[in-house]
Amino acid sequence: MSYKVTEENNISIVHLDGEIDMDVTEKAKEVIMPLIEAKKEVHLNLKDVQYMDSSGISVLIESHQKATELGTKVVLKDISKSVLKVIMMAKLEQILNLG
Amino acid sequence: MNSSVENNISEKKDFVVSSSSLKDVRSFSREVFSKVNLNQDLKDELVLAIAEAAQNIVKHAYQNQETDDKMEIKISLDNGELEIGFFDKGRPVDNSNVRHRKIDDVKPGGLGTFFIKQIMDAVVFKEGEKPWINHLILTKKINY
């Protein structure tokens, strides 16, 4: 997994790339959580994520819950077909913010 | 039908029990499924189920502890009966403790087993024959 963080209109945009599994979830959290803790609105661009497993979905849930707790939000953007399928399999399409 | 595509296979491979092996587990599974005549969506789901089961061995049978132990994954397809076997030497699985997330319970954890049960027809835990401790069997009827 690789990533790039950009800033636009006070929104942090995290572009994730590659496969997100248990082996990289800590790295993903290290990137995403500090932005949420800084109470930024965070957009996760998932266009280039070709694979995500339950560990990756857990990062999305934890990020969403932390953001809600701190009064901000995480929006999932440009979700790849394979990631959307897993989000729907987890029945989270109504819970996570899909932008 | 493409004559290079098979409908019966049986392949197995060992992997070190580690989260860093999960990408190799996926590569092996994709390679095996590239040889059979299944639609790509189903192949992707099966790869996810296999990777989730392997992840459960790392997380639960070995509790994320570093080890040199290996797990073995065997994928067999015989006349439309897909069987995926997982063998490990970790902590014995207590079947009564294996539970998946409830649908309306939005929290991390338990999702892997939830996915496996959605994708596969049956999930059976058995005591492994020596030298193995655990033997997990996932099965699915394939309709061509």
Side-chain angles (χ1 to χ4, degrees):
Chain A
M1 181 200 80
S2 61
Y3 67 93
K4 186 176 77 176
V5 182
T6 58
E7 192 89 11
E8 208 174 290
N9 302 325
N10 215 27
I11 296 171
S12 294
I13 304 166
V14 183
H15 299 257
L16 296 169
D17 192 332
E19 300 198 323
I20 301 182
D21 66 9
M22 180 190 177
D23 200 35
V24 301
T25 48
E26 282 310 309
K27 185 176 167 188
K29 281 198 260 187
E30 281 169 19
V31 175
I32 299 164
M33 288 303 183
L35 299 169
I36 297 169
E37 281 157 10
K39 300 191 177 179
K40 299 247 188 190
E41 179 172 330
V42 177
H43 291 185
L44 299 180
N45 188 304
L46 302 174
K47 175 170 64 79
D48 296 315
V49 177
Q50 298 94 20
Y51 172 88
M52 183 178 283
D53 69 6
S54 62
S55 297
I57 295 292
S58 293
V59 173
L60 301 183
I61 296 172
E62 284 179 51
S63 303
H64 172 76
Q65 290 178 335
K66 189 74 179 172
T68 304
E69 183 188 316
L70 295 176
T72 182
K73 63 179 175 179
V74 172
V75 183
L76 309 181
K77 294 280 191 181
D78 293 335
I79 307 168
S80 66
K81 185 182 159 216
S82 58
V83 173
L84 183 60
K85 190 174 168 184
V86 181
I87 289 172
M88 293 181 76
M89 200 183 285
K91 306 189 189 304
L92 291 170
E93 67 273 22
Q94 303 291 332
I95 292 167
L96 301 174
N97 294 314
L98 277 51
Chain B
M1 191 196 303
N2 185 337
S3 61
S4 67
V5 173
E6 304 170 33
N7 280 331
N8 293 318
I9 48 166
S10 182
E11 298 197 22
K12 64 181 179 182
K13 193 169 180 181
D14 289 347
F15 303 89
V16 173
V17 178
S18 165
S19 63
S20 62
S21 296
L22 295 175
K23 59 180 176 301
D24 299 327
V25 169
R26 295 195 295 274
S27 296
F28 165 68
S29 307
R30 287 172 184 141
E31 170 68 24
V32 172
F33 291 130
S34 73
K35 299 172 187 171
V36 295
N37 182 33
L38 305 177
N39 75 56
Q40 190 57 48
D41 279 354
L42 178 56
K43 287 180 183 180
D44 291 343
E45 289 180 7
L46 294 171
V47 169
L48 178 65
I50 292 169
E52 296 290 357
Q55 182 182 155
N56 281 345
I57 293 173
V58 176
K59 276 165 80 171
H60 302 301
Y62 283 83
Q63 298 179 297
N64 289 319
Q65 288 172 347
E66 266 191 49
T67 178
D68 293 329
D69 281 4
K70 293 195 171 175
M71 57 183 162
E72 183 179 287
I73 301 177
K74 183 179 179 186
I75 303 174
S76 307
L77 180 62
D78 185 1
N79 292 320
E81 298 286 344
L82 176 67
E83 179 174 313
I84 307 162
F86 299 79
F87 304 84
D88 71 74
K89 300 175 189 170
R91 199 175 59 147
V93 171
D94 178 356
N95 204 4
S96 63
N97 279 339
V98 178
R99 57 177 72 93
H100 65 72
R101 191 196 72 165
K102 291 189 179 113
I103 285 173
D104 56 354
D105 186 11
V106 182
K107 66 175 185 189
L111 259 180
T113 305
F114 181 72
F115 287 163
I116 293 168
K117 290 188 171 176
Q118 276 193 301
I119 295 165
M120 305 304 295
D121 293 340
V123 179
V124 176
F125 289 96
K126 288 172 67 175
E127 200 173 302
E129 287 182 20
K130 279 189 178 178
W132 305 108
I133 302 288
N134 296 308
H135 181 191
L136 167 66
I137 305 166
L138 309 182
T139 54
K140 188 175 181 74
K141 177 78 181 157
I142 304 294
N143 298 309
Y144 295 105

